[in-house]
């Protein structure tokens, strides 16, 4: 009878950029009810809007000092990458950032985080035909990467 209104993708990205960092931090609050609702909201955003903006905010949570927040964030990055369109992996800078953070997670040797990083790399391997070159580019010195981009 009633149809759901469609929300423009730009509006969702703006929403993610402004609200997601705050909600992500609320997942670690002492109030269990608030943390539970915040976790549901972040998971729903990860599934519903697998965009670069959402990924960027989740990756900031992965790099947080809190192991619990890092694990929750990388778990949602894994969900996001599985649900993302193939075009998600086309943008070189955003994909490079994703690969860089996942590589840092693997280097950290924190088992709770590494177990979620492996599926992300498997998804990237399937979606990126030039995976090895892009991974090497992502792990290169940032100054060298900028020089390489300027040459092209």
């Amino acid at each position: 009878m009633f149809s759901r209104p469609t929300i423009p993708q730009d509006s969702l990205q703006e929403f993610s950029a402004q609200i997601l960092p705050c909600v992500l931090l609320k997942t670690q609050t002492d109030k269990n009810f608030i943390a539970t609702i915040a976790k549901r909201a972040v998971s729903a955003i990860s599934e519903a809007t697998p965009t670069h903006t959402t990924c960027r905010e989740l990756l900031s949570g992965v790099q947080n000092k809190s192991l619990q927040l890092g694990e929750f964030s990388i778990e949602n990055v894994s969900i996001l990458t599985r649900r993302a369109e193939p075009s998600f992996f086309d943008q070189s800078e955003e994909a490079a950032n994703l690969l860089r953070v996942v590589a840092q997670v693997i280097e950290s040797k924190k088992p709770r985080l590494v177990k979620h990083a492996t599926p992300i790399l498997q998804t990237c391997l399937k979606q990126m035909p030039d995976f090895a070159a892009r991974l090497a580019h992502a792990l290169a010195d940032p100054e060298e990467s900028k020089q390489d981009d300027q040459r092209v």
Side-chain angles (χ1 to χ4, degrees):
M1 183 183 261
F2 291 104
S3 64
R4 272 179 94 168
T6 56
I7 301 171
Q9 192 67 19
D10 291 344
S11 298
L12 290 173
Q13 288 182 7
E14 286 178 30
F15 175 80
S16 291
Q18 293 177 1
I19 302 299
L20 191 57
C22 178
V23 176
L24 194 57
L25 290 175
K26 294 291 183 189
T27 63
Q28 305 305 305
T29 188
D30 292 336
K31 306 289 183 189
N32 197 24
F33 174 74
I34 294 171
T36 302
I37 297 300
K39 286 179 181 179
R40 285 184 189 169
V42 170
S43 296
I45 290 171
S46 299
E47 289 182 24
T49 58
T51 63
H52 294 288
T53 306
T54 306
C55 186
R56 190 178 318 116
E57 298 305 329
L58 289 172
L59 290 175
S60 70
V62 172
Q63 295 174 314
N64 192 292
K65 291 181 182 180
S66 167
L67 182 62
Q68 203 173 18
L69 180 59
E71 182 181 19
F72 179 73
S73 296
I74 198 160
E75 186 178 327
N76 280 283
V77 170
S78 180
I79 292 167
L80 183 142
T81 55
R82 282 194 313 265
R83 308 246 328 151
E85 297 287 327
S87 62
F88 175 86
F89 300 95
D90 292 343
Q91 283 191 343
S92 61
E93 188 56 41
E94 295 294 338
N97 188 40
L98 172 65
L99 293 173
R100 190 177 305 112
V101 171
V102 171
Q104 289 170 354
V105 165
I106 292 171
E107 285 179 347
S108 75
K109 298 180 181 172
K110 295 177 182 172
R112 290 173 61 180
L113 300 179
V114 171
K115 73 178 181 182
H116 297 292
T118 305
I120 295 170
L121 286 179
Q122 289 172 340
T123 302
C124 290
L125 184 60
K126 290 177 191 172
Q127 297 291 337
M128 298 176 181
D130 56 345
F131 175 76
R134 291 175 80 174
L135 182 60
H137 180 74
L139 298 178
D141 183 32
E143 289 302 315
E144 286 179 27
S145 298
K146 287 179 184 175
Q147 290 174 356
D148 289 343
D149 289 343
Q150 290 174 353
R151 283 186 221 145
V152 173

